Amino acid sequence: MAQKISLTRYLVEQQRADGLIPGQLRLLLEVVARACKSISQAVNKGALGGVLGSAESENVQGEIQKKLDIIANEVLIEANEWGGHLAAMASEEMDSIHLVPNRYPQGEYLLLFDPLDGSSNIDVNVSIGTIFSVLRKPENGHGQGVQESDFLQAGSKQVAAGYCIYGPQTTLVLTVGNGVAMFTLDREQGSFMLTQEDIKIPADTKEFAINMSNMRHWDAPVKRYIDECLAGKEGPRGKDFNMRWIASMVADVHRILMRGGVFMYPWDKREPEKAGKLRLMYEANPMSWLVEQAGGAATNGRQRILDIAPTKLHERVAVVLGSKNEVERVTGYHDPL
Ligand code: P6P
């Protein structure tokens, strides 16, 4: 059997080969991977570790935090503060950005993350995950320290993006702009080992992922698309479709990277002032870059997600991503921008 390559070796070889991974970025990615291993261990303990259930607190999104949300957030903050590769961090679980303390050297990167996506699934033992996105710290003219405005960069400016899914396997999926690679945690060695690279999403699919209970709240183009899928062979699509909804974006996106599909969390009229449910900076942007790097597409129904100019750190966005031809069809049903 071919010798498995560790994440460390993969990053070193990528750094040598194409210079896409400067030393500081390689260090950052290895630190994030180590933090994900710690989170995986906490998740795997479950009730035995006393980490299930609510933390009896709310996050900036107004959502009740789970104990593991807070644990995962703390693990990522502590792991990344001292290394000298970061200037600041932003998290779904924190209202404002977290500056690297002055007692540590400041780095050139900004790290954003959803420390534990899919929290509603934690207590029922369904796959959850960590999503992360890396930006360069801009050379700001203000001469002061990092500010929230420094994070407000379009998704096309990311230099690395990935997620770690805590499921039957603990798997890290990563892009630095030259395709998508997958690493599976070898618990005996304690290392992430390369198990797939150059992942490609089929352009066509027969599988869609959406929370159907929201159907009566959707806009007409989304309802048209889903109705056509449900009409099956006898309908305008001329083929039957299957549906999946795990209510954990990491798990739904991972399935799409592995076998194709289209994932949708569209705008709906329950809270019309919100562009969507999912967050742009640390959910939609990293997932959209991964999907595009794997040959898929990602829009908000009208515009490429990676082109959206953010205005707020915790900004929400509608998401349609996955198999290119399906995303283009859904987007085509919407009015052009
Ligand atoms: P709903 C998890 O809370 C999350 O942010 C995504 O991971 C997931 O796709 C979505 O929300 C599920 O939302 O409304 O179906 O519970």
Side-chain angles (χ1 to χ4, degrees), residues 219 222 249 263-268 274-280 284-285 288 298-306 308 315-321 334:
D219 221 353
V222 171
M249 186 186 198
F263 170 95
M264 299 168 73
Y265 212 111
W267 171 90
D268 71 46
K274 286 183 182 174
K277 171 177 183 180
L278 302 179
R279 292 77 174 183
L280 174 63
N285 274 343
S288 297
T299 74
N300 63 359
R302 290 182 168 81
Q303 176 183 11
R304 181 178 178 242
I305 284 178
L306 296 183
I308 295 174
E315 179 167 332
R316 294 173 188 264
V317 67
V319 177
V320 180
L321 62 76
H334 287 74

Side-chain angles (χ1 to χ4, degrees), residues 254-265:
H254 189 71
R255 184 191 58 254
I256 288 167
L257 279 167
M258 295 296 103
R259 71 184 193 209
V262 58
F263 170 95
M264 299 168 73
Y265 212 111

